[in-house]
Protein backbone atom coordinates (compact mmCIF):
# COMPACT_ATOMS: atom_id res chain seq x y z
CA UNK A 1 0.00 0.00 0.00
CA UNK A 2 1.38 3.40 -1.01
CA UNK A 3 1.89 5.62 1.98
CA UNK A 4 3.75 8.86 1.27
CA UNK A 5 2.55 11.45 -1.22
CA UNK A 6 4.28 14.75 -1.94
CA UNK A 7 1.88 17.42 -3.19
CA UNK A 8 3.43 20.44 -4.88
CA UNK A 9 1.16 23.47 -4.35
CA UNK A 10 -0.81 24.62 -1.33
CA UNK A 11 -3.58 26.52 -3.18
CA UNK A 12 -7.01 24.87 -3.49
CA UNK A 13 -6.40 21.50 -5.16
CA UNK A 14 -3.34 20.66 -3.01
CA UNK A 15 -4.93 21.01 0.45
CA UNK A 16 -8.20 19.42 -0.78
CA UNK A 17 -6.23 16.39 -1.97
CA UNK A 18 -4.19 16.24 1.24
CA UNK A 19 -7.41 16.26 3.23
CA UNK A 20 -8.80 13.24 1.39
CA UNK A 21 -5.50 11.33 1.25
CA UNK A 22 -5.10 11.70 4.98
CA UNK A 23 -8.61 10.45 5.58
CA UNK A 24 -7.93 7.43 3.37
CA UNK A 25 -4.81 6.56 5.37
CA UNK A 26 -2.02 8.05 3.23
CA UNK A 27 0.65 10.42 4.52
CA UNK A 28 0.59 13.58 2.40
CA UNK A 29 3.16 16.39 2.58
CA UNK A 30 2.55 19.73 0.86
CA UNK A 31 5.38 21.86 -0.52
CA UNK A 32 4.33 25.45 -1.28
CA UNK A 33 6.66 27.91 -2.94
CA UNK A 34 5.18 30.93 -1.14
CA UNK A 35 6.60 31.60 2.33
CA UNK A 36 3.12 31.43 3.94
CA UNK A 37 -0.49 30.70 2.92
CA UNK A 38 -1.49 33.00 0.04
CA UNK A 39 -4.50 35.08 1.07
CA UNK A 40 -5.42 36.72 -2.26
CA UNK A 41 -8.13 36.37 -4.86
CA UNK A 42 -11.64 37.42 -5.57
CA UNK A 43 -14.98 35.73 -5.27
CA UNK A 44 -15.00 32.23 -6.67
CA UNK A 45 -17.93 29.87 -7.11
CA UNK A 46 -18.45 26.47 -5.60
CA UNK A 47 -20.73 25.02 -8.21
CA UNK A 48 -22.71 21.90 -8.98
CA UNK A 49 -21.15 18.63 -7.92
CA UNK A 50 -18.34 20.36 -6.00
CA UNK A 51 -20.93 21.28 -3.37
CA UNK A 52 -21.35 17.55 -2.70
CA UNK A 53 -17.59 17.27 -2.21
CA UNK A 54 -17.40 20.10 0.31
CA UNK A 55 -20.39 18.61 2.11
CA UNK A 56 -18.58 15.27 2.33
CA UNK A 57 -15.57 17.13 3.71
CA UNK A 58 -17.77 18.61 6.43
CA UNK A 59 -16.81 22.11 5.26
CA UNK A 60 -20.22 23.42 4.24
CA UNK A 61 -20.96 25.19 7.57
CA UNK A 62 -17.63 27.08 7.42
CA UNK A 63 -18.16 27.90 3.74
CA UNK A 64 -21.72 29.12 4.33
CA UNK A 65 -20.47 31.31 7.14
CA UNK A 66 -17.87 32.91 4.86
CA UNK A 67 -20.25 33.16 1.90
CA UNK A 68 -20.60 36.48 0.06
CA UNK A 69 -23.79 37.58 -1.64
CA UNK A 70 -23.29 39.67 -4.75
CA UNK A 71 -26.28 41.31 -6.41
CA UNK A 72 -24.81 41.12 -9.88
CA UNK A 73 -22.45 42.78 -12.33
CA UNK A 74 -22.63 46.42 -13.37
CA UNK A 75 -20.67 47.94 -16.24
CA UNK A 76 -19.84 51.57 -15.45
CA UNK A 77 -18.56 54.40 -17.64
CA UNK A 78 -15.46 56.51 -16.95
CA UNK A 79 -17.71 59.00 -15.11
CA UNK A 80 -19.10 56.23 -12.88
CA UNK A 81 -22.57 56.11 -14.45
CA UNK A 82 -24.11 52.69 -15.02
CA UNK A 83 -23.88 51.52 -18.64
CA UNK A 84 -25.54 48.11 -18.21
CA UNK A 85 -26.22 45.60 -15.46
CA UNK A 86 -26.74 41.87 -15.08
CA UNK A 87 -28.59 41.21 -11.81
CA UNK A 88 -27.99 37.79 -10.35
CA UNK A 89 -31.73 37.05 -9.77
CA UNK A 90 -32.20 37.05 -13.50
CA UNK A 91 -30.34 33.77 -13.70
CA UNK A 92 -31.26 32.32 -10.31
CA UNK A 93 -34.95 32.88 -10.90
CA UNK A 94 -34.80 30.43 -13.80
CA UNK A 95 -33.59 27.66 -11.55
CA UNK A 96 -29.95 27.76 -12.57
CA UNK A 97 -27.72 25.59 -10.39
CA UNK A 98 -27.46 27.50 -7.14
CA UNK A 99 -23.94 28.74 -6.62
CA UNK A 100 -22.01 29.43 -3.48
CA UNK A 101 -19.75 32.45 -3.70
CA UNK A 102 -16.80 32.76 -1.39
CA UNK A 103 -13.56 34.71 -1.46
CA UNK A 104 -10.77 32.50 -2.74
CA UNK A 105 -8.64 33.50 0.26
CA UNK A 106 -11.41 32.41 2.66
CA UNK A 107 -11.72 29.03 0.95
CA UNK A 108 -7.94 28.60 1.05
CA UNK A 109 -7.87 29.25 4.79
CA UNK A 110 -10.83 26.92 5.44
CA UNK A 111 -8.88 24.18 3.63
CA UNK A 112 -5.78 25.04 5.65
CA UNK A 113 -7.70 24.64 8.88
CA UNK A 114 -9.14 21.34 7.67
CA UNK A 115 -5.62 19.99 7.10
CA UNK A 116 -3.95 20.93 10.37
CA UNK A 117 -2.44 17.46 10.69
CA UNK A 118 -0.71 17.67 7.30
CA UNK A 119 2.95 18.72 7.00
CA UNK A 120 3.35 21.94 4.98
CA UNK A 121 6.81 22.91 3.71
CA UNK A 122 6.55 26.63 2.94
CA UNK A 123 9.09 28.60 0.94
CA UNK A 124 10.41 25.55 -0.89
CA UNK A 125 9.71 23.78 -4.17
CA UNK A 126 10.69 20.76 -6.21
CA UNK A 127 13.81 21.19 -8.33
CA UNK A 128 14.25 17.60 -9.59
CA UNK A 129 12.28 14.36 -9.76
CA UNK A 130 13.88 10.97 -10.20
CA UNK A 131 11.43 8.06 -10.50
CA UNK A 132 12.28 4.37 -10.10
CA UNK A 133 10.29 1.20 -9.45
CA UNK A 134 10.10 1.88 -5.71
CA UNK A 135 9.23 5.57 -5.63
CA UNK A 136 10.37 9.08 -6.47
CA UNK A 137 13.52 10.76 -5.23
CA UNK A 138 12.66 14.44 -4.86
CA UNK A 139 15.26 17.18 -4.70
CA UNK A 140 14.03 20.51 -3.33
CA UNK A 141 15.42 23.95 -4.15
CA UNK A 142 16.46 24.18 -0.48
CA UNK A 143 18.84 21.27 -1.13
CA UNK A 144 16.74 18.78 0.85
CA UNK A 145 16.32 15.31 -0.73
CA UNK A 146 13.50 12.93 0.22
CA UNK A 147 11.83 9.85 -1.21
CA UNK A 148 8.07 9.65 -1.68
CA UNK A 149 5.87 6.90 -3.08
CA UNK A 150 3.97 9.36 -5.29
CA UNK A 151 4.21 13.01 -6.35
CA UNK A 152 1.24 15.21 -7.26
CA UNK A 153 1.48 18.48 -9.19
CA UNK A 154 -1.14 20.84 -7.73
CA UNK A 155 1.01 23.86 -8.48
CA UNK A 156 -1.34 25.73 -10.80
CA UNK A 157 -1.28 26.83 -14.43
CA UNK A 158 2.51 27.19 -14.57
CA UNK A 159 3.15 23.90 -12.76
CA UNK A 160 6.82 23.12 -12.20
CA UNK A 161 5.95 19.48 -11.51
CA UNK A 162 4.36 19.26 -14.95
CA UNK A 163 7.43 20.84 -16.52
CA UNK A 164 9.75 18.36 -14.81
CA UNK A 165 7.73 15.20 -15.44
CA UNK A 166 5.73 15.96 -18.61
CA UNK A 167 7.58 18.57 -20.66
CA UNK A 168 7.76 22.30 -21.36
CA UNK A 169 4.84 24.59 -20.53
CA UNK A 170 4.28 25.54 -24.20
CA UNK A 171 3.03 22.00 -24.88
CA UNK A 172 0.17 22.33 -22.45
CA UNK A 173 -0.66 26.00 -21.78
CA UNK A 174 -2.63 28.01 -24.35
CA UNK A 175 -2.50 31.77 -23.87
CA UNK A 176 -5.99 33.19 -24.46
CA UNK A 177 -4.78 36.72 -25.13
CA UNK A 178 -5.05 38.43 -21.76
CA UNK A 179 -3.76 39.03 -18.25
CA UNK A 180 -5.52 39.54 -14.97
CA UNK A 181 -4.60 40.86 -11.56
CA UNK A 182 -6.40 40.77 -8.19
CA UNK A 183 -5.67 42.58 -4.91
CA UNK A 184 -7.42 44.34 -2.02
CA UNK A 185 -7.89 48.12 -1.80
CA UNK A 186 -9.78 50.55 0.42
CA UNK A 187 -13.10 50.96 -1.33
CA UNK A 188 -13.48 54.32 -3.06
CA UNK A 189 -17.31 54.06 -2.93
CA UNK A 190 -19.94 51.82 -1.30
CA UNK A 191 -20.47 48.88 -3.67
CA UNK A 192 -23.84 47.89 -2.26
CA UNK A 193 -23.05 44.23 -3.07
CA UNK A 194 -22.46 44.90 -6.77
CA UNK A 195 -19.43 43.92 -8.79
CA UNK A 196 -18.55 47.00 -10.84
CA UNK A 197 -16.49 46.92 -14.02
CA UNK A 198 -15.27 49.89 -16.01
CA UNK A 199 -14.53 48.52 -19.46
CA UNK A 200 -12.14 50.79 -21.36
CA UNK A 201 -10.71 50.87 -24.87
CA UNK A 202 -7.81 48.54 -25.58
CA UNK A 203 -9.59 45.58 -23.95
CA UNK A 204 -8.98 46.86 -20.42
CA UNK A 205 -11.12 46.10 -17.37
CA UNK A 206 -10.95 47.95 -14.07
CA UNK A 207 -13.14 46.33 -11.46
CA UNK A 208 -14.22 46.34 -7.84
CA UNK A 209 -15.99 43.51 -6.02
CA UNK A 210 -17.42 43.50 -2.51
CA UNK A 211 -15.32 42.34 0.45
CA UNK A 212 -16.75 41.19 3.81
CA UNK A 213 -15.47 44.41 5.32
CA UNK A 214 -17.33 47.29 3.61
CA UNK A 215 -14.27 49.52 4.03
CA UNK A 216 -12.43 47.38 1.48
CA UNK A 217 -12.99 46.02 -2.02
CA UNK A 218 -11.40 43.32 -4.14
CA UNK A 219 -9.93 45.13 -7.13
CA UNK A 220 -9.21 43.64 -10.51
CA UNK A 221 -7.23 44.91 -13.48
CA UNK A 222 -7.38 42.83 -16.66
CA UNK A 223 -6.17 43.57 -20.16
CA UNK A 224 -5.86 41.93 -23.52
CA UNK A 225 -2.35 41.34 -24.80
CA UNK A 226 -0.31 38.70 -26.58
CA UNK A 227 2.21 36.77 -24.48
CA UNK A 228 4.47 39.23 -22.66
CA UNK A 229 7.88 38.50 -21.35
CA UNK A 230 8.07 39.24 -17.61
CA UNK A 231 9.50 37.71 -14.46
CA UNK A 232 6.71 35.82 -12.68
CA UNK A 233 8.38 36.34 -9.30
CA UNK A 234 9.00 40.10 -9.76
CA UNK A 235 5.87 41.64 -8.23
CA UNK A 236 7.18 45.22 -8.46
CA UNK A 237 7.76 44.87 -12.22
CA UNK A 238 4.21 43.52 -12.66
CA UNK A 239 2.77 46.45 -10.68
CA UNK A 240 4.78 48.86 -12.86
CA UNK A 241 3.44 47.18 -15.99
CA UNK A 242 -0.15 47.62 -14.78
CA UNK A 243 0.47 51.24 -13.77
CA UNK A 244 1.73 51.99 -17.26
CA UNK A 245 -1.27 50.35 -18.94
CA UNK A 246 -4.02 51.74 -16.71
CA UNK A 247 -3.05 55.24 -15.50
CA UNK A 248 -5.64 57.91 -16.34
CA UNK A 249 -8.48 55.59 -17.44
CA UNK A 250 -11.09 57.41 -15.38
CA UNK A 251 -13.60 56.10 -12.83
CA UNK A 252 -11.61 54.91 -9.75
CA UNK A 253 -8.61 53.66 -11.71
CA UNK A 254 -6.00 55.94 -10.14
CA UNK A 255 -7.24 55.13 -6.62
CA UNK A 256 -7.07 51.40 -7.46
CA UNK A 257 -3.53 51.76 -8.84
CA UNK A 258 -2.44 53.57 -5.67
CA UNK A 259 -4.02 50.77 -3.59
CA UNK A 260 -2.29 48.16 -5.73
CA UNK A 261 1.14 49.58 -4.94
CA UNK A 262 0.50 49.01 -1.22
CA UNK A 263 -1.35 45.69 -1.57
CA UNK A 264 0.23 42.63 0.03
CA UNK A 265 -2.14 40.10 -1.60
CA UNK A 266 -1.29 41.03 -5.19
CA UNK A 267 -1.88 38.30 -7.80
CA UNK A 268 -1.03 38.60 -11.49
CA UNK A 269 -1.24 35.93 -14.18
CA UNK A 270 -2.02 35.17 -17.79
CA UNK A 271 -5.53 34.20 -18.84
CA UNK A 272 -4.72 30.71 -20.07
CA UNK A 273 -6.15 27.27 -20.69
CA UNK A 274 -4.31 24.12 -19.69
CA UNK A 275 -4.86 20.93 -21.68
CA UNK A 276 -2.79 17.86 -20.80
CA UNK A 277 -3.73 14.73 -22.78
CA UNK A 278 -2.57 12.29 -20.06
CA UNK A 279 -2.56 13.46 -16.48
CA UNK A 280 0.02 11.04 -15.14
CA UNK A 281 3.57 9.96 -15.92
CA UNK A 282 4.57 6.96 -13.87
CA UNK A 283 4.32 7.95 -10.21
CA UNK A 284 3.61 11.62 -10.93
CA UNK A 285 0.06 12.91 -11.45
CA UNK A 286 -1.58 16.32 -11.91
CA UNK A 287 -4.64 17.78 -10.19
CA UNK A 288 -6.43 21.13 -10.56
CA UNK A 289 -5.16 23.92 -12.82
CA UNK A 290 -1.84 22.11 -13.32
CA UNK A 291 -3.65 19.39 -15.28
CA UNK A 292 -6.86 20.99 -16.55
CA UNK A 293 -7.87 24.63 -16.53
CA UNK A 294 -10.38 26.51 -18.63
CA UNK A 295 -9.13 29.95 -17.44
CA UNK A 296 -11.13 32.48 -15.37
CA UNK A 297 -13.24 33.02 -18.51
CA UNK A 298 -14.61 29.48 -18.25
CA UNK A 299 -14.97 29.93 -14.50
CA UNK A 300 -15.04 26.42 -13.02
CA UNK A 301 -11.44 26.13 -11.77
CA UNK A 302 -12.23 25.74 -8.09
CA UNK A 303 -15.01 23.21 -8.66
CA UNK A 304 -12.76 21.12 -10.92
CA UNK A 305 -9.98 21.20 -8.32
CA UNK A 306 -12.19 20.13 -5.44
CA UNK A 307 -13.79 17.33 -7.43
CA UNK A 308 -10.45 16.24 -8.95
CA UNK A 309 -8.88 16.01 -5.49
CA UNK A 310 -11.77 13.92 -4.20
CA UNK A 311 -11.71 11.49 -7.14
CA UNK A 312 -7.91 11.14 -7.23
CA UNK A 313 -7.67 10.34 -3.51
CA UNK A 314 -10.71 8.06 -3.70
CA UNK A 315 -9.34 6.08 -6.65
CA UNK A 316 -5.97 5.69 -4.92
CA UNK A 317 -7.71 4.38 -1.83
CA UNK A 318 -9.95 2.05 -3.86
CA UNK A 319 -6.86 0.65 -5.63
CA UNK A 320 -5.08 0.15 -2.29
CA UNK A 321 -2.49 2.73 -3.33
CA UNK A 322 -1.73 1.12 -6.70
CA UNK A 323 -1.13 4.18 -8.87
CA UNK A 324 -0.96 2.08 -12.05
CA UNK A 325 -4.67 1.36 -11.64
CA UNK A 326 -5.73 4.52 -9.82
CA UNK A 327 -4.29 7.25 -12.08
CA UNK A 328 -6.01 6.12 -15.31
CA UNK A 329 -9.35 5.60 -13.53
CA UNK A 330 -9.09 9.08 -11.99
CA UNK A 331 -8.74 10.56 -15.48
CA UNK A 332 -11.45 8.32 -16.96
CA UNK A 333 -13.95 9.39 -14.30
CA UNK A 334 -13.08 13.09 -14.63
CA UNK A 335 -12.52 13.51 -18.39
CA UNK A 336 -16.03 14.33 -19.65
CA UNK A 337 -16.69 16.69 -16.73
CA UNK A 338 -13.36 18.47 -17.25
CA UNK A 339 -14.03 18.96 -20.97
CA UNK A 340 -17.54 20.20 -20.26
CA UNK A 341 -16.40 22.74 -17.67
CA UNK A 342 -13.40 24.01 -19.62
CA UNK A 343 -15.62 25.32 -22.41
CA UNK A 344 -15.30 29.06 -22.95
CA UNK A 345 -18.36 31.32 -23.15
CA UNK A 346 -19.39 32.37 -26.69
CA UNK A 347 -17.08 35.06 -28.08
CA UNK A 348 -14.44 34.35 -25.42
CA UNK A 349 -12.18 37.20 -24.40
CA UNK A 350 -13.07 39.30 -27.46
CA UNK A 351 -16.71 39.53 -26.46
CA UNK A 352 -16.00 40.06 -22.76
CA UNK A 353 -13.27 42.69 -23.19
CA UNK A 354 -13.90 44.69 -26.38
CA UNK A 355 -11.01 46.71 -27.85
CA UNK A 356 -12.93 49.70 -29.25
CA UNK A 357 -15.49 52.21 -27.97
CA UNK A 358 -17.93 50.83 -30.51
CA UNK A 359 -17.36 47.28 -29.25
CA UNK A 360 -17.94 48.42 -25.66
CA UNK A 361 -21.18 50.19 -26.63
CA UNK A 362 -22.37 47.10 -28.52
CA UNK A 363 -21.59 44.87 -25.54
CA UNK A 364 -23.45 47.23 -23.17
CA UNK A 365 -26.41 47.52 -25.53
CA UNK A 366 -26.66 43.76 -25.94
CA UNK A 367 -26.44 43.33 -22.14
CA UNK A 368 -29.29 45.84 -21.68
CA UNK A 369 -31.31 44.08 -24.37
CA UNK A 370 -30.74 40.62 -22.94
CA UNK A 371 -31.75 41.73 -19.47
CA UNK A 372 -34.90 43.52 -20.65
CA UNK A 373 -38.29 41.91 -21.16
CA UNK A 374 -38.95 39.65 -23.03
CA UNK A 375 -35.33 38.61 -23.59
CA UNK A 376 -34.59 38.15 -19.89
CA UNK A 377 -36.63 34.94 -19.91
CA UNK A 378 -34.64 33.64 -22.87
CA UNK A 379 -31.34 34.49 -21.18
CA UNK A 380 -32.50 32.74 -18.05
CA UNK A 381 -33.31 29.62 -20.07
CA UNK A 382 -29.88 29.71 -21.71
CA UNK A 383 -28.26 30.17 -18.33
CA UNK A 384 -29.85 27.07 -16.84
CA UNK A 385 -26.81 24.92 -16.31
CA UNK A 386 -26.39 21.47 -17.78
CA UNK A 387 -25.81 18.92 -15.02
CA UNK A 388 -22.16 18.08 -14.40
CA UNK A 389 -21.05 15.14 -16.54
CA UNK A 390 -19.73 13.06 -13.69
CA UNK A 391 -21.08 10.65 -11.13
CA UNK A 392 -19.36 10.87 -7.80
CA UNK A 393 -18.57 7.54 -6.19
CA UNK A 394 -18.97 7.28 -2.47
CA UNK A 395 -15.43 6.22 -1.50
CA UNK A 396 -15.80 4.87 1.97
CA UNK A 397 -13.17 6.11 4.40
CA UNK A 398 -11.74 2.96 5.97
CA UNK A 399 -8.42 3.72 7.51
CA UNK A 400 -7.80 7.42 7.78
CA UNK A 401 -7.56 9.65 10.79
CA UNK A 402 -9.86 12.65 10.80
CA UNK A 403 -7.93 15.74 9.76
CA UNK A 404 -8.73 18.86 11.74
CA UNK A 405 -12.06 20.03 13.06
CA UNK A 406 -14.03 19.81 9.83
CA UNK A 407 -13.36 16.12 9.43
CA UNK A 408 -14.41 15.44 13.00
CA UNK A 409 -17.68 17.20 12.26
CA UNK A 410 -18.08 15.06 9.15
CA UNK A 411 -17.69 11.77 11.03
C1 LIG B 1 -3.30 33.97 -4.85
C2 LIG B 1 -4.27 33.42 -5.85
C3 LIG B 1 -5.44 34.12 -6.13
C4 LIG B 1 -6.35 33.63 -7.07
N1 LIG B 1 -7.50 34.33 -7.31
C5 LIG B 1 -8.40 33.87 -8.19
C6 LIG B 1 -9.62 34.58 -8.44
O1 LIG B 1 -9.86 35.62 -7.87
N2 LIG B 1 -10.49 34.07 -9.35
C7 LIG B 1 -10.24 32.90 -10.01
O2 LIG B 1 -11.06 32.47 -10.82
N3 LIG B 1 -9.11 32.19 -9.78
C8 LIG B 1 -8.18 32.65 -8.90
N4 LIG B 1 -7.03 31.95 -8.67
C9 LIG B 1 -6.86 30.66 -9.36
C10 LIG B 1 -7.73 29.60 -8.68
O3 LIG B 1 -7.36 29.44 -7.34
C11 LIG B 1 -7.58 28.29 -9.42
O4 LIG B 1 -7.97 28.47 -10.77
C12 LIG B 1 -8.42 27.13 -8.92
O5 LIG B 1 -8.93 27.30 -7.63
C13 LIG B 1 -7.61 25.84 -8.97
O6 LIG B 1 -6.76 25.78 -7.85
P1 LIG B 1 -5.30 25.14 -7.88
O7 LIG B 1 -5.02 24.75 -6.48
O8 LIG B 1 -5.20 24.13 -8.96
O9 LIG B 1 -4.36 26.35 -8.34
P2 LIG B 1 -3.93 27.64 -7.53
O10 LIG B 1 -5.04 28.14 -6.69
O11 LIG B 1 -3.34 28.57 -8.52
O12 LIG B 1 -2.80 27.13 -6.51
C14 LIG B 1 -1.53 26.71 -6.92
C15 LIG B 1 -0.58 26.84 -5.74
O13 LIG B 1 0.69 26.31 -6.12
C16 LIG B 1 1.70 27.19 -5.68
N5 LIG B 1 2.88 26.99 -6.52
C17 LIG B 1 3.13 27.51 -7.74
N6 LIG B 1 4.31 27.07 -8.20
C18 LIG B 1 4.81 26.25 -7.26
C19 LIG B 1 6.00 25.49 -7.16
N7 LIG B 1 6.92 25.48 -8.14
N8 LIG B 1 6.21 24.75 -6.05
C20 LIG B 1 5.30 24.75 -5.03
N9 LIG B 1 4.15 25.47 -5.07
C21 LIG B 1 3.91 26.20 -6.18
C22 LIG B 1 1.08 28.56 -5.77
O14 LIG B 1 1.75 29.50 -4.93
C23 LIG B 1 -0.34 28.28 -5.30
O15 LIG B 1 -0.46 28.38 -3.91
C24 LIG B 1 -6.09 32.41 -7.76
C25 LIG B 1 -4.90 31.71 -7.49
C26 LIG B 1 -4.00 32.20 -6.54
C27 LIG B 1 -2.72 31.43 -6.27
Amino acid sequence: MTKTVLISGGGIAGPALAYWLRRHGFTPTIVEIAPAPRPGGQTIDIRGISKVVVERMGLMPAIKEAQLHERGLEYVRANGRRAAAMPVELLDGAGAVAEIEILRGDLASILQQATTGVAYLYGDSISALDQDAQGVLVTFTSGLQRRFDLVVGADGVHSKTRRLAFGPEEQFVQHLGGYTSYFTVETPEPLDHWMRIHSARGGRWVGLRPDHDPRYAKALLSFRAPLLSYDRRDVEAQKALLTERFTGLGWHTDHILAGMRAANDFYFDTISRVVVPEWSRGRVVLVGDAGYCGSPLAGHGTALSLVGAYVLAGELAAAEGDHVRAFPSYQKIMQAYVEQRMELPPGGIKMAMPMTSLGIRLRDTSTRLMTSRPFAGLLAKLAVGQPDKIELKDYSVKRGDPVGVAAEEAE
Side-chain angles (χ1 to χ4, degrees):
M1 159 93 183
T2 301
K3 286 276 192 279
T4 56
V5 184
L6 177 68
I7 301 168
S8 173
I12 303 298
L17 179 68
Y19 171 92
W20 284 111
L21 286 175
R22 182 85 192 276
R23 289 200 70 192
H24 287 300
F26 296 83
T27 307
T29 300
I30 294 183
V31 58
E32 164 60 50
I33 200 165
R38 296 181 66 178
Q42 302 229 331
T43 315
I44 44 118
D45 303 314
I46 295 178
R47 299 168 186 245
I49 201 81
S50 69
K51 283 183 290 182
V52 177
V53 171
V54 295
E55 252 154 27
R56 289 184 187 173
M57 294 171 90
L59 298 181
M60 199 52 107
I63 286 174
K64 286 243 163 99
E65 206 176 316
Q67 200 174 342
L68 271 178
H69 299 279
E70 284 185 357
R71 292 174 64 188
L73 162 68
E74 268 184 355
Y75 289 112
V76 294
R77 300 201 172 94
N79 61 11
R81 288 182 55 194
R82 177 190 270 203
M86 181 88 72
V88 96
E89 315 86 71
L90 203 88
L91 309 181
D92 282 353
V97 180
E99 286 167 12
I100 296 173
E101 293 186 327
I102 180 171
L103 291 174
R104 185 205 175 268
D106 286 346
L107 178 61
S109 56
I110 288 170
L111 289 168
Q112 290 281 322
Q113 283 159 28
T115 49
T116 44
V118 172
Y120 279 80
L121 311 174
Y122 283 106
D124 209 349
S125 63
I126 301 173
S127 64
L129 293 170
D130 193 2
Q131 300 194 46
D132 56 40
Q134 275 72 48
V136 190
L137 176 65
V138 179
T139 309
F140 294 87
T141 42
S142 61
L144 180 77
Q145 278 202 324
R146 266 174 74 180
R147 287 190 71 83
F148 293 88
D149 293 308
L150 300 172
V151 172
V152 183
D155 36 9
V157 170
H158 307 287
S159 170
K160 175 88 177 281
T161 313
R162 189 185 59 222
R163 204 175 337 137
L164 290 170
F166 293 68
E169 176 160 323
E170 301 71 55
Q171 285 181 16
F172 309 111
V173 179
Q174 303 161 5
H175 180 64
L176 295 181
Y179 287 81
T180 196
S181 170
Y182 310 122
F183 48 91
T184 306
V185 295
E186 281 181 25
T187 194
E189 65 179 23
L191 293 175
D192 197 21
H193 304 284
W194 284 90
M195 172 184 187
R196 298 213 165 112
I197 300 281
H198 168 43
S199 190
R201 274 184 301 144
R204 288 171 292 180
W205 266 22
V206 183
L208 290 170
R209 295 185 85 161
D211 195 347
H212 289 295
D213 185 337
R215 290 172 301 166
Y216 296 96
K218 300 294 181 195
L220 78 87
L221 297 174
S222 306
F223 61 93
R224 282 172 60 182
L227 258 190
L228 303 172
S229 153
Y230 69 96
D231 179 353
R232 205 168 295 130
R233 303 272 157 226
D234 188 347
V235 166
E236 292 314 312
Q238 293 158 24
K239 289 183 177 179
L241 188 147
L242 287 164
T243 304
E244 193 193 311
R245 286 190 178 244
F246 282 87
T247 298
L249 272 197
W251 191 49
H252 296 299
T253 310
D254 290 347
H255 170 94
I256 290 170
L257 287 171
M260 172 191 76
R261 286 188 277 275
N264 58 9
D265 61 348
F266 178 80
Y267 168 85
F268 179 81
D269 207 344
T270 56
I271 299 177
S272 298
R273 266 164 73 82
V274 177
V275 180
V276 182
E278 271 183 56
W279 303 345
S280 61
R281 284 278 201 284
R283 292 174 173 272
V284 182
V285 67
L286 304 172
V287 68
D289 280 3
Y292 34 86
C293 168
S295 84
L297 290 173
H300 291 262
T302 304
L304 288 172
S305 296
L306 292 168
V307 177
Y310 174 81
V311 174
L312 175 55
E315 288 302 310
L316 272 168
E320 300 278 318
D322 177 4
H323 66 281
V324 177
R325 283 190 287 138
F327 289 172
S329 14
Y330 151 61
Q331 179 160 359
K332 196 165 171 229
I333 292 166
M334 290 287 293
Q335 190 78 54
Y337 169 52
V338 163
E339 282 169 17
Q340 175 193 20
R341 294 308 178 202
M342 278 179 56
E343 256 176 47
L344 294 174
I349 198 167
K350 290 186 182 152
M351 182 71 111
M353 300 166 73
M355 292 297 280
T356 61
S357 303
L358 178 65
I360 294 167
R361 279 205 300 278
L362 282 174
R363 200 259 337 265
D364 291 345
T365 308
S366 62
T367 305
R368 283 198 299 271
L369 198 69
M370 283 188 306
T371 52
S372 67
R373 290 166 191 269
F375 294 101
L378 184 66
L379 177 68
K381 279 198 192 106
L382 289 173
V384 173
Q386 295 294 317
D388 292 315
K389 290 186 181 168
I390 184 169
E391 281 205 21
L392 279 193
K393 289 191 203 169
D394 192 359
Y395 303 103
S396 55
V397 177
K398 294 185 203 119
R399 288 168 291 272
D401 299 327
V403 195
V405 180
E408 279 155 26
E409 281 168 5
E411 289 298 292

